[in-house]
Amino acid sequence: MEGLVCVPVLLPLLAAGVKLAIGGRLRRLQSAISLVALGISVAVSALLLAAADTRGPLVTELGGWPAPIGICLVADRLSTLVLLVSSAVTFCVMVYSVANAYAEQEHDAPMAIFHPAFLVMVAGVADAFLSGDLFNLFVAFELLLSGSYVLLTFGGTEPRIRAGATYTLMALASSMLFLIALAITYAATGTLSLAQLAQRFAGLPLHVQFLVELTLLLAFAIKAAIFPVSAWLPDSYPTAPAPATAVFAGLLTKVGVYSIIRLEALLFPRGPVATLLMWVALATMLAGVLGAVAQTDLKRMLSFTLVSHIGYMVFGVALSTVAGMSGAIFYMLHHITVQTSLFLVTGLIERRTGTTSVSRLGGLMTSTPLLAVLFFVPAMNLSGIPPMSGFLGKVLLVEAGLADGRPLPAVLVAAGLVTSLLTLYAIAKTWGKAFWRGPRAVRAGTVVESEEDTGEEPTVTTTLLPLALMASVGALVVLGLAFTVLAGPLSALTHRAAAELWAREPYVTAVLGGAP
């Protein structure tokens, strides 16, 4: 079973190489390669999760070099849980991408350029989740970023190039901070193996521990779009193609959150930065949701809600308890599926109407009821309407915050409830304008409010949506609902994952054995 740990990383890279070699030829083979590679990754991830839950962490030593000399990949409960959900999400997004390419009769460019970049990014995400070494984690970030640069600027339009420049600058700043932290860590400890660092960090002077932790947190905070280093996200993500935007929103920010979870539990358990993280979580929740309320574009509104809900996960980590970490993991898994599905639905709305501006939309509930349902279900899930998984994840975090007993976690609980209500308000406002009210007409650049304003039936240019596109989004919506149906077993699994994280010994023993 240990030999399968590297498959989610190597298989997408191999598929990307084959697709680049094929080029724009053999379109059906191109599609099959992408879907088979990602489908196998889903199956392997499920097997790894089952094995890690019953047997403990699984370790693969790359190149045959044992840790801490060599680099290893580690599949424990946390990494396999996130890997399985991310693999399922990327598979659905790839189905969407293939169907979209065929529907628009744009075969060569998406399959010869878009898909290899997408697969490289998927490999980087998997590598980040499985990495047992800080330097390999840095390599994983660069790998996923190299693919995301291509996806973000795909098509070469002016808005995408401008957004790509902002995204690249922030990514380079984050990578530079990460490298500085690696240099300090290696100089202080003589290793970058996470398992060995877990043993050696406690012996370092407090100011060195604090410096390393703060530098790493800042690097990951940029990647996760945590306030106050989150302003780049609403200006970057909405410009990309719908499949890329969906994966960026669902997965790339969660890689930063995952890294914070891993390092805070393994290297800096219950350290002094936990209080700072609570304040950061508070600011992230409120700043993001207030930005969402003020938006009139669907993509930007969802981008700001993405920022605000990252604050829930940071809150769970900052509590430094098993219950808090379990709530953070549960909410992260829920948010991956819900946010991805919402951005894909937004892509369908843009494809059908030609716009995502709420002021130019209307009547979607009447004209496309299925599309309205596909938006409504994950939107209510994101808002935390009972008994959906968004509500259950918030309940786990609220219970963990109140059990802490300190004033600051209680303030975070109140802020979380306010954020949830404001998210519901932003979603309801968007729903009322884009879906519920009468259709709007756009003539000669002028938006006409309704039929009564002109005395004639408004005409809205729309495009029929292929069934495959709707089915791929519907599968993601169903996956989000499955988290509600399976909330009991899933929360028990996230609790075991959190307990394993805070114990640390299972991870260290699996990687190093008895080595010092």
Side-chain angles (χ1 to χ4, degrees):
M1 189 63 69
E2 284 78 2
L4 294 177
V5 175
C6 61
V7 171
V9 180
L10 296 182
L11 188 58
L13 286 178
L14 177 62
V18 172
K19 289 171 71 67
L20 285 172
I22 294 174
R25 305 181 301 275
L26 305 174
R27 297 191 298 266
R28 293 185 182 278
L29 179 60
Q30 288 266 12
S31 303
I33 290 172
S34 298
L35 295 174
V36 169
L38 294 179
I40 293 174
S41 295
V42 174
V44 170
S45 300
L47 290 174
L48 291 175
L49 174 58
D53 191 35
T54 55
R55 295 171 45 188
L58 309 173
V59 180
T60 290
E61 296 166 345
L62 301 181
W65 291 94
I69 300 173
I71 291 175
C72 63
L73 300 179
V74 185
D76 61 356
R77 289 188 179 99
L78 172 63
S79 59
T80 52
L81 252 176
V82 185
L83 185 63
L84 176 58
V85 174
S86 66
S87 299
V89 164
T90 51
F91 178 80
C92 291
V93 173
M94 181 56 74
V95 172
Y96 180 102
S97 178
V98 169
N100 189 58
Y102 275 90
E104 295 184 354
Q105 297 298 311
E106 295 178 358
H107 304 294
D108 294 347
M111 294 188 184
I113 301 172
F114 187 93
H115 287 191
F118 187 91
L119 291 169
V120 168
M121 185 186 67
V122 169
V125 170
D127 193 21
F129 291 151
L130 296 169
S131 180
D133 183 276
L134 267 183
F135 184 76
N136 188 46
L137 181 60
F138 171 79
V139 172
F141 272 115
E142 296 309 301
L143 186 63
L144 69 90
L145 287 172
S146 64
S148 66
Y149 295 147
V150 177
L151 297 177
L152 187 62
T153 58
F154 188 77
T157 62
E158 181 180 348
R160 290 180 182 176
I161 296 298
R162 189 185 303 115
T166 302
Y167 179 79
T168 301
L169 287 174
M170 295 305 298
L172 289 175
S174 175
S175 297
M176 186 179 299
L177 286 169
F178 200 171
L179 277 177
I180 292 171
L182 292 181
I184 298 172
T185 301
Y186 192 79
T189 63
T191 185
L192 292 176
S193 167
L194 290 175
Q196 201 166 37
L197 287 173
Q199 296 177 327
R200 296 186 179 182
F201 253 115
L204 295 179
L206 289 179
H207 67 278
V208 176
Q209 295 184 43
F210 182 78
L211 177 62
V212 173
E213 183 178 9
L214 206 58
T215 308
L216 286 172
L217 282 177
L218 183 56
F220 297 144
I222 295 174
K223 297 182 185 299
I226 296 172
F227 187 85
V229 286
S230 59
W232 60 270
L233 190 148
D235 293 328
S236 300
Y237 283 8
T239 64
T245 303
V247 173
F248 288 177
L251 278 182
L252 295 197
T253 52
K254 307 311 182 301
V255 176
V257 174
Y258 170 87
S259 301
I260 292 174
I261 290 174
R262 175 69 68 186
L263 296 187
E264 283 298 301
L266 194 60
L267 305 186
F268 314 107
R270 301 171 177 88
V273 179
T275 300
L276 175 62
L277 278 178
M278 288 195 189
W279 287 109
V280 169
L282 175 64
T284 303
M285 286 181 192
L286 297 180
V289 78
L290 290 175
V293 169
Q295 299 307 308
T296 58
D297 182 86
L298 191 52
K299 286 184 178 179
R300 287 185 62 84
M301 185 274 289
L302 291 175
S303 296
F304 275 100
T305 61
L306 168 61
V307 172
S308 70
H309 287 248
I310 294 292
Y312 286 102
M313 305 166 213
V314 178
F315 171 41
V317 177
L319 287 174
S320 299
T321 62
V322 171
M325 189 69 81
S326 175
I329 297 170
F330 185 98
Y331 202 82
M332 178 171 62
L333 299 175
H334 141 83
H335 201 256
I336 289 173
T337 58
V338 168
Q339 201 75 47
T340 304
S341 59
L342 281 172
F343 271 98
L344 283 184
V345 174
T346 302
L348 293 179
I349 292 172
E350 186 174 24
R351 177 187 172 89
R352 179 169 174 80
T353 65
T355 183
T356 57
S357 173
V358 175
S359 61
R360 296 164 66 91
L361 292 170
L364 291 176
M365 182 67 185
T366 303
S367 60
T368 52
L370 179 57
L371 186 60
V373 171
L374 291 178
F375 180 87
F376 182 80
V377 173
M380 292 299 100
N381 203 346
L382 181 70
S383 303
I385 298 299
M388 293 182 169
S389 57
F391 170 78
L392 299 174
K394 292 182 178 75
V395 167
L396 292 175
L397 291 170
V398 167
E399 289 178 345
L402 295 178
D404 186 277
R406 291 175 293 167
L408 186 54
V411 172
L412 265 293
V413 167
L417 297 177
V418 170
T419 300
S420 187
L421 290 174
L422 289 177
T423 301
L424 179 59
Y425 170 74
I427 293 292
K429 183 178 71 170
T430 300
W431 173 266
K433 292 182 177 180
F435 291 87
W436 197 251
R437 71 178 174 187
R440 298 163 72 83
V442 182
R443 297 190 182 90
T446 303
V447 179
V448 183
E449 284 290 337
S450 65
E451 178 182 351
E452 289 76 12
D453 295 328
T454 62
E456 60 184 70
E457 184 72 23
T459 57
V460 180
T461 301
T462 60
T463 305
L464 293 178
L465 298 174
L467 181 60
L469 289 176
M470 305 288 278
S472 60
V473 178
L476 275 177
V477 173
V478 170
L479 180 60
L481 290 176
F483 287 173
T484 301
V485 177
L486 302 175
L490 181 59
S491 62
L493 183 54
T494 60
H495 186 86
R496 293 197 296 274
E500 183 179 64
L501 276 172
W502 286 118
R504 302 200 302 165
E505 190 60 33
Y507 187 98
V508 174
T509 302
V511 175
L512 299 178

